[in-house]
Every structure is written in C-alpha cells, then in structure tokens.
Amino acid sequence: MSQENFSDVVVMMTRKSQYRFSLKRTATSLAVSSLFCAPVFAQETPVQTDTVVVTGIKASLSKAQNIKRNAEQIVDAIVADDIGKLPDSNVAEALQRITGVQISRNRGEGDRVQIRGLSQTQTLFNGRSIFTAGKERGLSFQDVPAELLAGADVYKTPTADQVEGGIGGVIDLRTRRPFDFSGYKVAATLKATEADFAKKDNIEGSVLLSNRWNTDIGEFGALLSVSKQKRNYRSDTQELGAPAQLADGSGIYAPTGSWTAYELGSRDRTGVSATLQYRPSKEFEFYLDTAYTELKTKTDTYGFFASPFWANYNASTNSGQLWPKGAVTAPNNLFQSGTFWGASMSTSGYIGDNETTTSQLALGGSWKSGNWKIKSELSHTNSDFSRLYQEVRLGTWTNNPAFTFDLGTATPSAYPVLGNASDLTTPSQYWADKGLYFRQKNDGHETVWRLDAEKGIDTAFITRLRGGLRLSDRTAASAEINTINDIFSSSATGAVAGASTGLATQIGVIPYNNLLSGAGAGVFPKQWLSVMNLDWLRDPATSRAALGLSVPGFDAAQTFDYSEKTRAAYGVADFESNFLGKNLTGNLGLRLVNTRSQRSYNQVSGSVVTAQTKSRDENDLLPSLNVRMDLSDKLVARIAASKVVTRPNFDQLTPSLSLNANDKTGYIGNPDLGTLSANQFDTSLEYYISDSDHVYGAAFYKKVDGFIQTSMQSLVYGGSTYNVNTPRNGDNGQIQGMELGYQGFFTHLPGVFKGLGLQANYTLVESSAPGPLGGQKTQLEGLSKNSYNLIGMYDDQKLSLRLAYNYRDNYIAGTQNYYTSNGAKIAQTPVYMKAYGMLDAYISYAISKNLKLAFEANNLTKTVRRSYYSIDNMPRGVYVDDRRFALSLHLDM
C-alpha cells in the first residue's frame, strides 16, 4: 500500500461528516476496496496462526469453544467475529452475551459489568492490568470500542499466575498482533449510524493494517488498528421524589416531587492499538505493544423540577411537610393520586462534559529452550479523567398553588395546576435562582514489571512447574470543586426577574415538546423556559462573569493522593494422572501479595481542614486449585477452589470529602477500611457435541468477608450542613448460583436450513449480603437473580443473521433518602430497577470474497426502563433511550 493511499484511508475514517443522511434512503456507494493495493514485500513461508480471520459465525464460535474447552480453569470467551456480529458499541455490550455476566446501562449504552453478581472484577489488557483514572480501581468498559478487540476471556476461577484483585472474576481483553496472521492483512469498516430518538446520523469506521517479513536477522511484524466512533443520543427521564408520609396523620406515603428532563448528548470514542513483533530465532521473541483509548462525552440537559414538599400553608407548623388539598385516593393505604398545596418549581439548563484518556505501553520478550520458558515484561499505564458541569437554574411559579400526582397512568402523572396554559412559557413567571458549578480531575499511573518462568517436568504426576514475580507501583489522585450560588440580581430590569442582562439574552423556550414519547400516557410538563444555548455554559469564565460570579478553584478538602506498591510472588504445579480410568489434569498454586499504601488527604473537623497522611501494610495468601477430568472424549468435568481478594476503591480508603452542594449530601472515606476476600468453590460439566456445538452447566459458591456498608452522619462544612455517607466493613455474606448454556447449529435439517443455529444461556445468582444501609441482609446491589441470552443464528456461505435477546430481572440500583414522621426524620430505602429485556439484530451479505455489507439494529423493542422505591413499591424512574441503526461495509483481505 502506498503512503498516499494509507493517508487517504485514515482521513476518510476519521473526518467528521459534513452532511446529514438517512438510513431510510439508499446508502451512498462506499468504494473502499480500491484504496488498498497489493503488499510491497513478498512473503516467505508463513507460520500458520490465523486465529482471528473472519470466516463466518460457525468458525468464530468454534474458536471461542476451543478456548473454553482447552483452558486450565473455568472460562468463557468471545472472539472478534462474535463482537462484530452484534451492534456492540463498547466492550460492556459485547460482554453481556457471556453466561454469568450482567451489565447496567447508561443513556442507552452498556456501562458497568458484573460477573456472578460482583462488580469487583480485575480487568486485563493482553494479560496486564488496565484501569480508568477515577475514584474506583477498575476499567470503565464503555471507554473501549468493541472493534478494537480480537476477543475477550472471562475467567470465573483464577490461577495463581493471574493478577489478583477480582473477587467476581478476571476479564482479559485481547487485541491483535501481527504474528496472529500468516502474512499481509487489511481489514476496514465504514459505518453509517442513526439514533432514531435523537434524530442524528453519524459516520464511523475502523481500519486494521498488518504485515510480517522474513529477513536475514529474523522475522518482523507490525500492526496498526484504529477505531473511531461518533454517536449522538437522546435520553428522556422522569424521576419522582422520594416518598414522604402525608402531614394529615394518615401514615400514607406519597412522592415529594418530580424531575423530568430531555438529555441530548454525544459520545466520541477513539481506540488505537499498535504492535511490533520480532523473532530473531525460534528461541527468542520480543514485542512492543501500545494502546490508546479516548472517550469524550458532551451532554446538554433541559430539566424541570417541582415539589409540593415545602414550607406552605402555615410555615410555623407545616414546614417541610406534604399537605393534601382535598381527598387522596389510596386503595389499601397505597397512594395512587391526589393534589397538594403549593409547588416549589424550577427549571434547569446544564452541561456535563467528560473526557477520559488511557494509554498503555509494554515491552516484553520470551525465551524457549527445551523444557524451559521464561517471559518478562515492563509496562506503564496512564489514565486521565476530567469533568465539567455547569447549570443555571430559574425559579418559576403559577397562579394556582397546587400540584397533582396520579400514579395510575402508564407514565406517572406529576404536574402543577396551572392558572394559565402559558404559565411555564411566560418570562414574567420566572426569576433567576441558582448557578451551579462542578469540576473534577482524576489521574492515575501504574508501572509494572513481571517475570514468569516455567519448566516441563517428566514425572509420574507433576508435568510442569511455574513461578514468577510481579512488582507494581500505582498512584491515583483526585480533585473536585462543587458550588451553588444565588444569581438573583436586584438591579435587573428584564422580563425574567433578577436575570442580569448577560443571562437574560440566553433565556428562551426550550425547542422540545415531546418528552417521554413512547413511554405511555401521562400528564407532566413538556416545555418551559431555560438557558437555550447551552454551549454558553461551556465557557465558565464568560458565563459565570455574566452571572456575577468567578470561577472557583479546587477545594482542598475534596482532594486526595493515593500511592500503592504491591509485590507478588507465585508458584504453580501442573499435574496429570489417571483416576478411575479417566485422564485427570489440573494445577495447584499459591500467590503471595504484599501491599503497601500511603494516602494523603485533607481532613475536615468542623471548620478546620488539616493535612493528613496515613500508611498501611497488608499481606494476602491466595491458594488456588483447578482440576479437570475427561470423562469421555466429549465430556469434561471441572472443579475449582480458591481464595480471592480485592481492595476498596480509593475514595473509600481516603477520608477526603466528595460533596453535592445541590442536595446537601456527600461522601467521606474510611482509612481503616479492610479488604474484601472470598473463599469460593466452582464446578462445571461440559459436553462438546462437535467443533462448534456444546452444552454446559456450572455451579458456584462464594463466601465473602468484609462487605462494605455505609452509615450516614451530619457534617457542617462551609456554613452548610451535609448528610454524609461513610463506608465500613460489615457482616459476611454469600453468593451461590448456577449457569446453563447451549450453542449449536442444526446441521441435520435439510437444505438451506442447515445454517440455522441457537445460542442460549441462563444464569441464576442468589446472594445474602449486608444491605448497603447497614440493616438486614439482602441481595447485592446491581445483581439480578435471573438473567439469560437467546440468540438465533443463520450462517451460510454469503448470508449471516443474528437476532439476540438479552434479559435481566429486577435489581437494586442504589439507595435514596426518604422521609418518615411527616418529614421530621430521614431514613434510606433501596431503589429497584424493574426487569427488562432488549432485542438486537444483525444481518450481513458477502458481496465478494473480501467485501461484506451489513445492517444492524439495537433496542428493536424500544425498551423503556423503569425503577421503583421499596417503600410501597412506589414508582421512581422512567427512562427512554434511542434505538440505534447502522449500515456498514466491511473489507477483509
């Protein structure tokens, strides 16, 4: 390929589209193949290692099955073609297809990942640890585009040579290397996407270039893979305020308010992976791996908030209470509908922009001779995260001081009783209220050196001995500022009371009036006044000056620096024997980890902020056993036992503040917080029907020590009182469950029907853990007891189809304050997300041997997610997201 042609490809893949298009119209001709020419260098006889060549669904399933079947532990895998065959925009969405994996969603995209009910997973990138800078330890899976991967392995049980830190499991994300291919390789995708709710179209794409050469001084390989995504979205929300007892003494609970919002945003995701490999002889091999991911999100939100839970009627006796205006409908003492005195209302216009970058560089090599193999690697990971949030809030009122709830409608009704139909779009009904500013900056670094050695042993029982060292030095730092200020100007003369001239010019009627369309009938405000050009808020110096405010710096009380050095050593003995006439193999290992941490922070005591430093030294001894028995040439049984450990997040270990000036809540860590550990036992039975078909079942049990709970306390800071949560180690808990799965093609069917196939898996997870509120034991937060995947497939020489349905039942999504005794006391209640499923589809047609046209769709069912409070099962949230469609052209040669 000439340098000019390669430049053309990169420019075409990354240039922002200058025009809009519709997937409903005929797709523009995408003449990609003409940009590639024959390889410059002739190839010598190649080493055949084509592990990622796309040759159809059946071939990809066969590769994933081989990983599972040949592994020394319990593992599930997906390979590149699996990821590419479903509309997965990021790694989290790709992983949801794996048995035992559950994901949460954020604005329609996959977000957090759990394995068998636990979010404390260890994430690896080509076998080495990777993370996203922040208060947590792990990787934000939505940062990584799915196209960048060759595959992903989810290890349910550990071996002693794997990095510690995941009591849920270990996820290893694998990228491609040049020696994976037999020679020259070019692959490219150009994709047109559409989000139907946002009514936005985008162009995105990916390209992979790889080659290898034989020379007089050895064999060289080079690979470059680039993925670029730009996706717009719209997410509509309704959330009802936490329950409170009515002030009439009935004991009935009703919502305290309602928040409705249009959220419009974009995700700009970039992934780059590059590798050099060098094999000077058959004994030695060296590599240089580099990877870079970047996720930029921009969010514009227009919101409306109203609450009758305020000082009204008679402030001296009814302050902060919920007073009905007339009769309340409450069958069986469960609130359904009613009107209340007064409505404290405001509108919000705000931006929330995030930027995350993560880079990794690794230099390594290996030596093999006889029964010996030695590997060593030095790597460095760097990650940065920044967030800017700025909001302008306007107060508003109506000529009729009453507010109505009706929870009997499909979408709960929550609306002010208007004096005039135009109350919420009339400037004279508004005043300038608050200005909010939040900024956060995190950075993290880790340098790791590891050495691994193994030697084959020719004995009657022990077949191989392995051992190694791993030294790591990781740092994490965080800084925040969170402020709220009055912006009413007594000298202002415009229609919006108190709005300075600079602010008044930004205010208008929001350009949307179809809130929560598709969520079902209900009555709630759909249009109001707000700051119109939210980009104005992306320049804090200008916008805050117009509000009469300055841009604040970071708050010393909301910063911390954390340093952690670990020293790990392990030993593993692989064994093989004959037991009851069956072949028995496995490994027995022990990993010893020493962790030395130091945290620097500013501790708040009343109005005094004092710099503090605290150190800690911990040791962990982690045994593991994995045993496999071949009951026949098709039937494999496994058992595993191990101890695993993970450490709390950085903010949990560092008593610096994290404050929300809006609702006067906060979080402060606990430097004496202990680790979480689990003793676990696993077993599985796998029957391999053919090269691509199998059925399996697994059962697991985890006894977890040191579950983290939170307790609430009051803290006075900066003249304001905050309700602050603090973590502590609670009681022990346990998790148990089972997994069932099948994949296969119905080759016994006649003719074209032989291409039909099915993937199906089901996970049952039961947990008994101390609740996040410190009370009785309950299910783990974020855990669905039941989840399953059903994927119908069709694959022949040219046509490939997949229809995938992913389901999970209800789960605890978080906790919320609620009000007892007519508002005199505050307690906390779990918030549950209702069960939901999503249907995705993929169809591709091979135009030629090297060119394929594909169409994909996400969320065909237009799933509306809903949540509720545990108090009287009262509705809490309604969330409506886009359906996504894409038309793409794939080149593979």
Side-chain angles (χ1 to χ4, degrees), residues 443 475-478 559-563 598-601 654 656:
D443 62 77
T475 62
S478 179
T559 64
F560 70 77
D561 288 280
Y562 190 95
S563 173
Q598 178 173 296
R599 61 216 74 171
S600 301
Y601 53 91
T654 307
S656 62

Side-chain angles (χ1 to χ4, degrees), residues 424-675:
L424 296 182
T425 57
T426 302
S428 60
Q429 301 288 125
Y430 285 81
W431 69 90
D433 189 8
K434 304 290 183 184
L436 287 81
Y437 179 85
F438 172 75
R439 190 158 68 95
Q440 181 179 356
K441 179 174 175 55
N442 300 328
D443 62 77
H445 310 271
E446 185 179 38
T447 300
V448 178
W449 175 77
R450 67 178 296 169
L451 175 69
D452 302 271
E454 63 180 65
K455 186 180 189 302
I457 304 293
D458 187 13
T459 69
F461 185 65
I462 303 298
T463 60
R464 183 175 58 165
L465 293 176
R466 292 179 280 165
L469 300 171
R470 181 180 184 269
L471 311 178
S472 74
D473 187 349
R474 181 169 177 179
T475 62
S478 179
E480 293 183 8
I481 180 65
N482 193 324
T483 66
I484 182 169
N485 303 99
D486 293 322
I487 58 172
F488 188 93
S489 173
S490 57
S491 61
T493 58
V496 176
S500 64
T501 302
L503 172 59
T505 59
Q506 302 292 332
I507 296 173
V509 179
I510 65 171
Y512 302 97
N513 62 1
N514 61 341
L515 186 69
L516 295 167
S517 60
V523 180
F524 38 83
K526 296 184 179 181
Q527 202 165 37
W528 49 83
L529 292 186
S530 176
V531 170
M532 288 290 296
N533 177 21
L534 295 182
D535 280 338
W536 180 65
L537 297 175
R538 292 188 165 90
D539 181 358
T542 300
S543 55
R544 286 184 66 83
L547 301 175
L549 304 171
S550 61
V551 178
F554 289 118
D555 182 2
Q558 299 183 68
T559 64
F560 70 77
D561 288 280
Y562 190 95
S563 173
E564 186 175 87
K565 301 180 188 297
T566 62
R567 306 292 182 264
Y570 74 89
V572 181
D574 297 339
F575 56 83
E576 182 173 4
S577 183
N578 188 281
F579 181 72
L580 300 178
K582 306 297 182 183
N583 188 44
L584 183 75
T585 60
N587 58 78
L588 177 64
L590 184 65
R591 187 175 186 89
L592 175 63
V593 184
N594 172 256
T595 304
R596 297 179 179 179
S597 62
Q598 178 173 296
R599 61 216 74 171
S600 301
Y601 53 91
N602 295 293
Q603 190 164 20
V604 176
S605 177
S607 59
V608 179
V609 179
T610 307
Q612 300 283 343
T613 299
K614 190 176 183 68
S615 300
R616 191 164 183 170
D617 195 323
E618 299 172 282
N619 292 301
D620 295 294
L621 198 61
L622 307 175
S624 61
L625 172 68
N626 292 274
V627 181
R628 164 189 170 138
M629 178 179 284
D630 293 323
L631 300 176
S632 71
D633 59 346
K634 293 185 176 182
L635 187 61
V636 176
R638 303 177 191 266
I639 60 170
S642 59
K643 180 180 180 180
V644 289
V645 66
T646 191
R647 284 176 172 75
N649 294 329
F650 302 121
D651 62 332
Q652 294 174 324
L653 288 166
T654 307
S656 62
L657 283 173
S658 180
L659 298 176
N660 186 328
N662 183 34
D663 61 7
K664 302 303 180 187
T665 60
Y667 187 90
I668 186 168
N670 177 2
D672 298 318
L673 203 62
T675 59

Side-chain angles (χ1 to χ4, degrees), residues 129-251:
S129 58
I130 192 168
F131 54 87
T132 299
K135 299 178 179 182
E136 300 180 356
R137 290 179 173 271
L139 176 72
S140 175
F141 289 94
Q142 65 175 343
D143 293 354
V144 184
E147 295 93 338
L148 199 65
L149 299 185
D153 304 326
V154 176
Y155 294 94
K156 312 291 182 63
T157 63
T159 52
D161 59 331
Q162 287 183 322
V163 182
E164 72 285 347
I167 62 173
V170 176
I171 301 172
D172 191 4
L173 309 178
R174 296 179 283 106
T175 59
R176 301 163 178 87
R177 283 179 170 171
F179 286 178
D180 292 339
F181 304 102
S182 59
Y184 185 76
K185 183 72 174 178
V186 174
T189 298
L190 190 61
K191 183 181 293 186
T193 67
E194 180 182 47
D196 68 340
F197 201 22
K199 300 190 185 321
K200 290 284 187 177
D201 306 321
N202 295 108
I203 290 287
E204 61 186 53
S206 61
V207 61
L208 180 146
L209 304 172
S210 180
N211 206 349
R212 54 195 291 179
W213 307 270
N214 275 325
T215 70
D216 292 339
I217 59 172
E219 187 174 16
F220 291 89
L223 180 146
L224 174 66
S225 179
V226 180
S227 174
K228 183 71 175 179
Q229 296 179 358
K230 173 67 180 293
R231 296 192 173 185
N232 292 85
Y233 70 88
R234 173 175 161 181
S235 184
D236 287 5
T237 298
Q238 179 198 66
E239 289 184 343
L240 298 186
Q245 281 190 353
L246 302 186
D248 60 7
S250 64

Side-chain angles (χ1 to χ4, degrees), residues 745-790:
F745 284 86
F746 308 131
T747 54
H748 61 280
L749 295 176
V752 296
F753 297 106
K754 290 182 178 180
L756 288 172
L758 175 69
Q759 282 181 290
N761 59 63
Y762 166 75
T763 303
L764 169 68
V765 185
E766 293 183 326
S767 64
S768 175
L773 310 180
Q776 72 277 11
K777 291 188 176 182
T778 183
Q779 71 185 64
L780 286 169
E781 186 172 322
L783 169 64
S784 293
K785 182 177 180 180
N786 299 281
S787 62
Y788 63 83
N789 288 283
L790 290 175

